[in-house]
Amino acid sequence: NNGTAATDLDIKLALPIELDYLSSSPEATFVADTLTWLIQDVPAFASGNITIEVKTDVSVPIGTPIILYAFTDVTNDGDANQQDNEAYLSVEVVGSYDPNDKAVFPSGYISPAMIADTQRLEYTIRFQNTGNFPASFVRIQDTLSANLDLTSLDILAASHPYTWKLLPKNVLDVYFHDINLPDSTNDERGSHGFVKFAINAKPTLQLADQIENKAYIYFDFNVPVITNTVGSTVGFETGIKEPGKKLFLTASPIPTKDYIMVTIRNGATDGEVVLSLYDTKGALVKTKTSVSPDNIQMDIQDLPSGVYYLHARVGRDQGIIRILKN
């Protein structure tokens, strides 16, 4: 809560079909493919974490991109910035597990249009203490690409209290002081941590320019664990495997009494559009399919007045918008 007053948060997470939900803390309401939490009375400037346990079915091929989409709605009036209420995470199914890694969303190609629209690159660095004794501190150092705009750097979230600073030569330094991170042998669940940050690509980048990063993770005074290298290239996707993207929806009229007309603004046309309407408790109340992303009419006149969430999916692409019915 970056505001100046306490507020209630209605948090939703859409799980892709490749993942099976096992549990969460705090406990979630799970309806269809959506997890929902109502977190009440969050103080000003406070933050928190929700832990979710899922499993990937063995039938999912290695290399499959998995897209997680989360949305937070401030149930009180006066949300000053609704642009920071959504988050995506894109990861690939792998055949072996390295607990210390780095991921970027969007991955692969970023188009010149995305850069012009100040599309942020979101990086997640995960770490785990796989030693045999708790780590008193953890330090992450990431030399950021010269093709990134350092003035736009924003630390989004972390698993534990931290401090951060920029060192010479574009080095991002994130320091978890007195973390006392348990080792995986004695406390596997508690041995994990992460930091997530966002940053813009420089607007002057040209086609074929690359943005590559890897991180160095220090547990106490040990030699660093070096993560994988993640990369983004300015260009256009040409392969058959594409990560999902965010769908931008418009719905009118809002508020409405009977019908809404839905359009996907970024022109998703390569598949059937599936619209799912949920109430504030996460219950699925209506669905609609269409072969066109434009002017999809949904009849909601039989629903009671209130707030609803319209979720759209086209293949692996998805988006959400809030609907108000009088």
Side-chain angles (χ1 to χ4, degrees):
N1 176 12
N2 290 326
T4 57
T7 190
D8 298 338
L9 300 178
D10 186 20
I11 302 171
K12 298 182 186 297
L13 173 70
L15 282 182
I17 59 175
E18 297 87 355
L19 298 182
D20 294 325
Y21 171 65
L22 297 179
S23 64
S24 67
S25 178
E27 186 176 351
T29 301
F30 185 41
V31 179
D33 66 346
T34 301
L35 302 170
T36 303
W37 299 265
L38 179 61
I39 311 296
Q40 296 180 307
D41 200 28
V42 179
F45 305 111
S47 63
N49 294 297
I50 295 173
T51 302
I52 305 156
E53 186 175 2
V54 297
K55 70 174 182 179
T56 309
D57 192 272
V58 294
S59 63
V60 180
I62 291 176
T64 300
I66 303 292
I67 307 298
L68 294 164
Y69 172 69
F71 174 82
T72 300
D73 182 51
V74 178
T75 59
N76 313 66
D77 294 332
D79 186 0
N81 179 18
Q82 297 187 4
Q83 302 303 313
D84 61 356
N85 292 357
E86 296 178 306
Y88 282 81
L89 176 63
S90 174
V91 294
E92 276 194 1
V93 176
V94 295
S96 61
Y97 175 65
D98 182 354
N100 300 282
D101 65 5
K102 184 174 181 180
V104 61
F105 181 83
S107 60
Y109 287 89
I110 53 172
S111 68
M114 294 167 67
I115 294 176
D117 195 34
T118 62
Q119 166 74 53
R120 298 199 302 177
L121 293 168
E122 294 188 358
Y123 293 96
T124 302
I125 301 171
R126 301 185 304 171
F127 56 88
Q128 182 185 22
N129 178 10
T130 57
N132 56 12
F133 194 79
S136 59
F137 69 85
V138 174
R139 166 167 268 128
I140 297 175
Q141 292 192 335
D142 189 341
T143 301
L144 301 177
S145 168
N147 287 331
L148 294 172
D149 177 10
L150 297 183
T151 63
S152 65
L153 177 63
D154 184 17
I155 308 295
L156 300 178
S159 57
H160 301 79
Y162 66 94
T163 59
W164 72 275
K165 59 186 175 182
L166 278 174
L167 302 177
K169 298 184 179 180
N170 294 359
V171 175
L172 170 63
D173 181 274
V174 181
Y175 184 39
F176 296 90
H177 181 60
D178 289 336
I179 189 174
N180 293 315
L181 190 69
D183 61 272
S184 57
T185 302
N186 292 297
D187 184 1
E188 202 286 330
R189 182 182 292 272
S191 65
H192 296 266
F194 76 93
V195 63
K196 181 176 183 178
F197 63 92
I199 191 169
N200 293 348
K202 287 185 176 179
T204 55
L205 296 188
Q206 304 295 316
L207 288 174
D209 283 345
Q210 293 185 328
I211 303 170
E212 292 188 339
N213 293 85
K214 61 183 175 183
Y216 291 73
I217 305 171
Y218 297 82
F219 296 90
D220 291 339
F221 297 100
N222 295 302
V223 295
V225 176
I226 305 174
T227 71
N228 56 299
T229 300
V230 295
S232 302
T233 302
V234 182
F236 303 95
E237 182 65 69
T238 57
I240 61 173
K241 182 180 67 176
E242 296 184 5
K245 66 175 182 293
K246 177 180 177 180
L247 299 179
F248 294 92
L249 314 179
T250 59
S252 62
I254 296 179
T256 184
K257 291 184 178 180
D258 41 26
Y259 296 91
I260 52 173
M261 196 71 71
V262 182
T263 293
I264 299 176
R265 290 184 295 157
N266 47 335
T269 58
D270 55 345
E272 182 181 62
V273 181
V274 180
L275 299 181
S276 303
L277 191 67
Y278 297 89
D279 64 17
T280 56
K281 296 181 179 179
L284 179 66
V285 296
K286 197 168 287 282
T287 60
K288 174 88 174 187
T289 60
S290 173
V291 297
S292 170
D294 301 315
N295 300 324
I296 309 169
Q297 183 173 282
M298 177 176 279
D299 181 1
I300 61 171
Q301 57 185 330
D302 58 327
L303 297 178
S305 299
V307 174
Y308 296 87
Y309 296 92
L310 182 67
H311 178 263
R313 183 191 296 273
V314 183
R316 300 187 185 279
D317 306 335
Q318 53 189 320
I320 196 166
I321 191 173
R322 189 169 71 163
I323 304 296
L324 178 62
K325 183 180 186 298
N326 287 339

